[in-house]
Amino acid sequence: MATTLTLAEMEALLAAHEKAEFDLDLDATLATLVDNPMYEFPSLGWHIEGRDAVRETYNRMLHGSDERNIWADKRVHAISDNSLSREAYVYLDGPDGRVTGQYFVVMEFEGDKIAGERMYMDTTFAALMAQILGPDFGSVPGVSRLADMTPPPVPRLDRAAAHAANSNH
């Protein structure tokens, strides 16, 4: 089920979601999500699907984010009918002190819940997130390699002709 939320409605749901994260309240965080959420971390190569897998992801992320004092500052919010895109600076404690990273996330919505996220992280944030998730993250049921979930490559093209014929590139 798609949704059409206003920017203010999406931001209010995001604020409730983030408050639960900062309160380290796993159940309240999950209460902002649909029953079968789907997340992707392309910078790390992970696809995370289903409530149990997302629960374990947040279980690791909430405590790791608290330990590393992660904080983000929004740069841009942009919306479509069922998504909010957010670009942000992220500040965190790294092995050599406080650092600044960046991320871009696309949050999808269904009704008044978050259906999932695709979070793209710069190398600074991705390195710390990999540590937070841990070396055993791929063994969590519902977590798989993103490369196993993407469509196969399209055949090689006559790029000029394909570009002229297809405005959706």
Side-chain angles (χ1 to χ4, degrees):
M1 168 176 81
T3 187
T4 301
L5 297 175
T6 65
L7 175 59
E9 292 167 329
M10 289 180 191
E11 288 177 330
L13 180 54
L14 176 57
H17 179 81
E18 288 179 331
K19 179 185 184 316
E21 289 179 342
F22 285 115
D23 289 343
L24 304 179
D25 188 335
L26 183 58
D27 291 331
T29 300
L30 293 173
T32 64
L33 306 178
V34 296
D35 290 339
N36 189 38
M38 191 276 301
Y39 280 54
E40 291 179 354
F41 298 150
S43 306
L44 300 174
W46 294 123
H47 173 89
I48 305 128
E49 190 165 350
R51 193 154 203 71
D52 292 340
V54 171
R55 172 181 280 281
E56 180 57 25
T57 302
Y58 273 110
N59 185 50
R60 294 171 186 225
M61 284 177 26
L62 293 181
H63 297 290
S65 296
D66 187 49
E67 289 172 3
R68 287 163 181 80
N69 195 20
I70 293 177
W71 182 261
D73 278 330
K74 169 186 80 172
R75 295 176 74 187
V76 175
H77 274 179
I79 64 170
S80 68
D81 287 346
N82 69 336
S83 67
L84 168 70
S85 298
R86 174 186 174 115
E87 180 187 18
Y89 286 115
V90 61
Y91 312 101
L92 49 141
D93 295 338
D96 298 319
R98 197 90 174 133
V99 296
T100 301
Q102 297 180 57
Y103 70 81
F104 181 84
V105 64
V106 179
M107 300 178 71
E108 300 287 337
F109 297 85
E110 287 182 18
D112 62 349
K113 302 281 185 180
I114 298 167
E117 298 181 14
R118 291 184 307 277
M119 180 180 275
Y120 303 84
M121 301 167 238
D122 75 349
T123 55
T124 299
F125 188 33
L128 270 316
M129 187 59 74
Q131 291 174 11
I132 288 170
L133 294 175
D136 66 332
F137 188 64
S139 66
V140 172
V143 173
S144 56
R145 298 301 308 169
L146 184 57
D148 296 337
M149 306 303 291
T150 58
V154 297
R156 289 189 60 86
L157 311 166
D158 173 345
R159 293 175 6 146
H163 180 268
N166 182 355
S167 64
N168 188 30
H169 53 82

